Amino acid sequence: MYFHHSEDRQMLADMLGRYLQQRYPFDIRNKISASPEGWSRTHWAELAELGVVGALFGEGAGGFGGTGFDIAAVFEGLGKALVVEPFLGTLMAGQALAMAAGKQDALLAEVIAGTTLLAFAHEEPQSRYDVSDVETQALPNSAGWALQGCKAVVPQIEAADRILVSARIAGAPGDEAGIGLFLVDKAAARLRGYPMVDGGRGGELVLDNTPATLVAKDGFPLIEQAIAAGIVALAWEAVAVMDVLKTTTLDYLRTRRQFGVPIGKFQALQHRMATVALEIELARSAAISAADALGQDRRTRERAVSAAKYTIGRVGTLVAEESIQMHGGIGMTWELPLSHYAKRLTMIGHQLGDEDHHLERFIALGHA
Amino acid sequence: MDLHFSPEEMAFREEVRAFLKDRLPTRIAEKVRTSKRLTKQDMAEWHAILNERGWYANHWPKEYGGPGWSVAQAAIFDIESALAHAPRIVPFGVSMLGPVLIKYGSQAQKDHWLPRILDGTDWWCQGYSEPGAGSDLASLKTSAVRDGDHYVVNGQKTWTTLGQYADMIFCLVRTSTEGKKQEGISFLLIDMKTPGVEVRPIILLDGEHEVNEVFFTDVRVPAENLVGEENKGWTYAKYLLTYERAGLAGVGGSMAAFNHLKEIAQSQRKGGRPLAEDPLFAARLARLEINLENLKITNLRVLAASGSGGSAPLEMSAMLKICGTEIRQEITSLTRRALGPYAQPFVSEALDEGFNGAPIGPDYAAPVAVDYFNNRKLSIFGGSNEVQREIITKALLEL
């Protein structure tokens, strides 16, 4: 039993931290985030060269990591700097591809090298976090497959060269069986991109007789595991964002003076701050538990993952709101990095299932 | 990171389970399981059984009679004991005074008092709070004035848990009114049988005699019973407060209580189905279960960081105290709600050993409401949770 990163992971985390500190300071991040592309190919290539993408995948997939705690170390680092590049989609799509029976080695090698980017297009306008609610249809034709339907709010989909798309081969929306996974070339897809409230870009994917290559016929278990990895990533990103909010709020309580004293002298604020600090520690424990559970049996894994996402959602909202409140007016400004961290933390709650969704799922898994 | 117990620790857990199965008296475990009243003899009996195995002072260093456990082992013991419905070890002598004497006591004090803690010769109680010094402990007024080779003690302590059983009391007393209020406090060991010591019961809202007032009128205490230096008592008191380690979050007790709650929620019916399947109640249970799991891991993290035999950072101890007590209170609150109308009847005798009357409502109902009321104390004692919140922020702010 120990609760620190292994030496290898710590080295990776330190290296990533140094890179982001030097090359990705906050003003650069905001420029990239608000740019027409909403991400930076230069940084992506450099981070891939440092091995940050490779750390997300196991040796079988050509990487050198891929466990829950590898994902944790990477996304903790990314969260601290509020990185907008498409790591989440790459992680989920890449992990699903690595689990698929078909040989995807060549594609994964390009992904790890940073030359090909992936997106993971699973959720739909009506699905509201329900993993099995897939309406998009996959129809076989002479050339292979064609997809018909719509995929919703896919992070950084415009950055992707290849998009991993779920579509129904058989059954009805809500069935776990009959969901296939397909690769779609961005060039063949119709995208509607847009900026996101917390930075970077997302997009809708419209599939209208769009040609696709089948990756897995029975895709549900792969999707579920890819999402579990994505939730571990989001949980650690969230904890890192919370740590930044905590540190900056403490600094503010120390230095901002009102009524002749630092505002940290006021009991009302001390109590709010203490609650924030202790809830962050509980959230960190939930993130540790989820990272650990990634390699375990389905029920253990999914319960831990849902518990973590519930916790992150609950605590994330608290920390974001309280950080702004304790900063007062200045916390409302675009200029202060704090507000951008608060926005990101809140929006993590809207990705891959919110607090209510995962509480309900945790209960359902308990009855199973 | 690795959250899992090693093969050696798993083997240790089996050893603890076997010991509990073999040596924990069924009679006592059944009383704990059903929240019956424990007598002094019940508690002393369990202490003696643990001491015989060398597991009573389980966080003391080996040279003083501790088993030399790692933090993981101590956590395992805590959880397994609670799940087996063992009584909680009464902490005042073994968990509170013991570590203070080991760190700050003289050789003579260690030689005299530590063996007597282990073999149960002395039942200790804690003289900290006063009517005018609760959360603001340092404003205590009970005075000790040096007179030759004695101190003469006058004043009053309150909320003295199980003081009615005690042979000895360790007290914070004022030996100086100069300077900061924290700087005039000393740590004194007082024999409860000394003339001038009077114990009066305080009956709590659940009708139970658990705590007392202790009055001191010209009580003469040998000067050799001063621990450490005069006017340095606040340092020792603080050390004691941060030294509760594994027990601080009460994880094992909460796990056992949560299991009990889940059983009750399965057996209670709402709309023809188990209450546990009611969406609103299921959501309350699930939130609690997740919070408890998060607390468990946080507790292990703090233990791992504090290292074997060490004490946890102040703010982390305070966090565990808040989270642990809030969760336990939420468990007792949900258990009370789960009973519906049958939370109301209260037959006090039903909590005594050997009660043969027919239960009113479900057989687990009798102690539930009083248990809830009794546990309101958790967020008040040991430094109220509001005081803990200040400790956390002040430690983080370093203002």
Side-chain angles (χ1 to χ4, degrees):
Chain A
M1 199 177 69
Y2 61 99
F3 293 94
H4 45 83
H5 285 309
S6 67
E7 208 172 302
D8 289 355
R9 284 189 202 114
Q10 194 57 54
M11 274 170 61
L12 174 76
D14 291 345
M15 189 189 61
L16 175 59
R18 271 196 306 275
Y19 175 88
L20 293 171
Q21 208 174 14
Q22 289 161 11
R23 303 269 292 119
Y24 205 91
F26 195 71
D27 55 332
I28 302 286
R29 181 267 177 197
N30 265 6
K31 264 191 203 124
I32 295 168
S33 166
S35 67
E37 297 77 26
W39 68 291
S40 155
R41 191 175 289 281
T42 311
H43 285 292
W44 184 262
E46 290 179 9
L47 287 167
E49 195 169 324
L50 290 176
V52 179
V53 181
L56 302 177
F57 303 105
E59 281 175 21
F64 53 88
T67 71
F69 289 114
D70 296 307
I71 296 167
V74 169
F75 277 82
E76 193 180 20
L78 299 173
K80 275 182 203 153
L82 231 47
V83 169
V84 292
E85 275 63 27
F87 281 96
L88 182 67
T90 299
L91 166 73
M92 292 197 290
Q95 288 243 348
L97 283 172
M99 285 181 278
K103 289 300 254 179
Q104 303 294 342
D105 293 0
L107 175 57
L108 283 168
E110 291 170 23
V111 170
I112 289 168
T115 48
T116 297
L117 281 88
L118 299 175
F120 183 63
H122 171 61
E123 292 184 51
E124 301 185 355
Q126 83 295 338
S127 66
R128 198 184 170 83
Y129 313 130
D130 180 350
V131 179
S132 60
D133 185 1
V134 175
E135 287 185 358
T136 298
Q137 293 286 327
L139 303 162
N141 59 24
S142 54
W145 294 83
L147 306 185
Q148 192 75 26
C150 184
K151 294 291 171 178
V153 204
V154 183
Q156 297 294 16
I157 191 167
E158 298 157 305
D161 304 296
R162 314 284 303 274
I163 306 165
L164 191 64
V165 181
S166 58
R168 193 161 282 290
I169 297 171
D175 293 348
E176 290 179 7
I179 302 172
L181 276 174
F182 300 85
L183 275 170
V184 170
D185 283 336
K186 186 176 72 175
R190 210 163 87 217
L191 302 183
R192 183 183 168 212
Y194 39 70
M196 303 287 249
V197 70
D198 56 339
R201 289 175 68 81
E204 309 283 291
L205 170 64
V206 180
L207 299 153
D208 186 9
N209 203 23
T210 308
T213 311
L214 181 69
V215 171
K217 260 198 158 152
D218 186 15
F220 183 83
L222 278 55
I223 296 167
E224 192 178 66
Q225 285 188 69
I227 289 176
I231 290 175
V232 168
L234 287 175
W236 281 84
E237 182 186 353
V239 167
V241 172
M242 290 182 206
D243 280 337
V244 172
L245 288 170
K246 181 177 106 175
T247 307
T248 48
T249 304
L250 281 168
D251 274 344
Y252 194 72
L253 294 182
R254 251 179 237 124
T255 49
R256 167 72 173 169
R257 296 177 72 89
Q258 288 285 273
F259 305 102
V261 292
I263 60 173
K265 291 277 187 193
F266 296 117
Q267 202 173 42
L269 296 185
Q270 289 175 353
H271 284 201
R272 297 182 97 126
M273 189 67 226
T275 302
V276 165
L278 73 87
E279 291 284 4
I280 291 173
E281 292 314 316
L282 295 178
R284 196 185 318 279
S285 291
I288 292 171
S289 168
D292 175 70
L294 215 48
Q296 298 191 35
D297 65 278
R298 176 183 180 250
R299 187 165 174 273
T300 308
R301 178 188 73 223
E302 294 302 323
R303 264 172 76 87
V305 158
S306 275
K309 194 63 174 58
Y310 158 79
T311 304
I312 293 298
R314 182 180 69 75
V315 178
T317 304
L318 173 90
V319 174
E321 291 177 356
E322 289 291 72
S323 301
I324 293 174
Q325 176 68 24
M326 284 190 269
H327 273 79
I330 197 77
M332 295 293 297
T333 60
W334 186 274
E335 188 189 345
L336 204 68
L338 174 113
S339 64
H340 300 270
Y341 283 89
K343 283 188 286 184
R344 176 67 196 130
L345 186 55
T346 308
M347 287 305 121
I348 286 174
H350 290 254
Q351 290 184 277
L352 304 180
D354 62 14
E355 179 186 340
D356 288 351
H357 171 83
H358 281 287
L359 186 66
E360 208 172 13
R361 188 165 179 269
F362 179 84
I363 294 167
L365 286 161
H367 292 317
Chain B
M1 285 190 225
D2 185 358
L3 279 69
H4 303 278
F5 292 130
S6 66
E8 293 75 24
E9 287 160 348
M10 301 281 267
F12 174 75
R13 186 167 70 180
E14 289 313 309
E15 192 186 341
V16 171
R17 283 179 181 170
F19 167 79
L20 289 164
K21 192 159 173 275
D22 189 34
R23 299 302 314 278
L24 173 61
T26 314
R27 183 186 66 80
I28 292 178
E30 191 55 17
K31 284 175 86 168
V32 172
R33 191 185 71 78
T34 55
S35 297
K36 294 259 164 60
R37 290 187 186 94
L38 289 176
T39 63
K40 180 184 181 183
Q41 284 67 36
D42 293 333
M43 296 183 252
E45 185 180 340
W46 180 234
H47 292 169
I49 292 167
L50 286 174
N51 190 44
E52 194 190 312
R53 186 71 173 74
W55 289 358
Y56 177 45
N58 59 56
H59 50 284
W60 289 12
K62 239 177 164 166
E63 69 250 48
Y64 295 100
W69 284 349
S70 66
V71 286
Q73 284 177 306
I76 288 167
F77 176 79
D78 180 50
I79 287 170
E80 294 302 322
S81 297
L83 292 178
H85 309 294
R88 275 197 84 166
I89 293 174
V90 179
F92 307 109
V94 70
S95 305
M96 294 183 166
L97 179 63
V100 169
L101 287 180
I102 287 168
K103 187 160 168 91
Y104 298 107
S106 67
Q107 194 57 46
Q109 285 171 335
K110 289 182 209 177
D111 291 345
H112 181 71
W113 298 112
L114 294 179
R116 294 164 64 98
I117 290 174
L118 288 177
D119 69 14
T121 306
D122 300 318
W123 185 290
W124 284 89
C125 64
Q126 181 183 23
Y128 270 34
S129 294
E130 297 182 6
S135 292
D136 180 15
L137 184 60
S139 69
L140 59 92
K141 290 197 169 63
T142 296
S143 69
V145 177
R146 187 72 184 243
D147 176 26
D149 53 4
H150 280 77
Y151 285 97
V152 180
V153 177
N154 279 284
Q156 182 194 347
K157 294 291 174 183
T158 192
W159 311 125
T160 314
T161 302
L162 302 183
Q164 70 268 36
Y165 300 152
D167 306 294
M168 295 291 299
I169 182 168
F170 57 89
C171 274
L172 294 182
V173 293
R174 185 156 299 286
T175 38
S176 168
T177 50
E178 314 263 305
K180 277 177 69 182
K181 60 186 178 181
Q182 285 84 356
E183 286 162 10
I185 293 171
S186 298
F187 196 103
L188 207 54
L189 313 178
I190 303 176
D191 189 330
M192 296 290 278
K193 290 181 290 294
T194 322
V197 177
E198 189 198 345
V199 180
R200 293 185 204 157
I202 300 173
I203 304 303
L204 294 180
L205 77 178
D206 55 358
E208 297 293 322
H209 177 196
E210 184 178 358
V211 294
N212 303 272
E213 296 176 290
V214 183
F215 295 85
F216 300 89
T217 312
D218 295 329
V219 176
R220 294 185 68 80
V221 181
E224 69 205 38
N225 282 13
L226 175 78
V227 175
E229 290 175 53
E230 201 175 88
N231 297 332
K232 291 279 167 63
W234 189 249
T235 307
Y236 317 147
K238 278 200 304 190
Y239 174 73
L240 182 155
L241 288 174
T242 57
Y243 201 89
E244 294 176 83
R245 296 189 35 188
L248 198 61
V251 168
S254 283
M255 284 168 68
F258 183 73
N259 289 344
H260 187 53
L261 165 60
K262 276 205 298 199
E263 286 163 18
I264 290 177
Q266 277 299 333
S267 98
Q268 289 283 321
R269 317 281 297 173
K270 181 180 171 187
R273 284 189 317 167
L275 180 62
E277 291 172 20
D278 171 67
L280 289 179
F281 203 85
R284 291 182 193 276
L285 279 176
R287 284 193 196 100
L288 193 51
E289 185 172 358
I290 292 170
N291 285 344
L292 180 55
E293 190 58 39
N294 292 340
L295 172 71
K296 255 159 72 178
I297 293 171
T298 308
N299 188 48
L300 290 175
R301 283 172 46 211
V302 174
L303 291 175
S306 64
S308 187
S311 59
L314 201 57
E315 71 271 17
M316 291 305 287
S317 301
M319 286 181 193
L320 287 180
K321 199 266 171 174
I322 294 172
C323 297
T325 54
E326 284 181 351
I327 282 176
R328 187 57 183 271
Q329 288 182 329
E330 180 64 10
I331 295 171
T332 61
S333 171
L334 274 196
T335 310
R336 172 178 61 73
R337 288 162 196 250
L339 279 188
Y342 277 108
Q344 299 172 90
F346 177 56
V347 179
S348 180
E349 302 78 55
L351 303 184
D352 285 327
E353 191 175 6
F355 175 72
N356 282 323
I360 302 170
D363 59 4
Y364 49 73
V368 165
V370 282
D371 195 36
Y372 162 78
F373 286 119
N374 180 274
N375 276 310
R376 304 316 301 164
K377 72 188 175 190
L378 297 179
S379 50
I380 299 169
F381 71 20
S384 73
N385 285 13
E386 286 70 31
V387 168
Q388 304 296 337
R389 284 189 158 78
E390 276 180 54
I391 289 172
I392 292 168
T393 304
K394 282 178 177 160
L396 293 173
L397 280 176
E398 296 164 350
L399 266 183

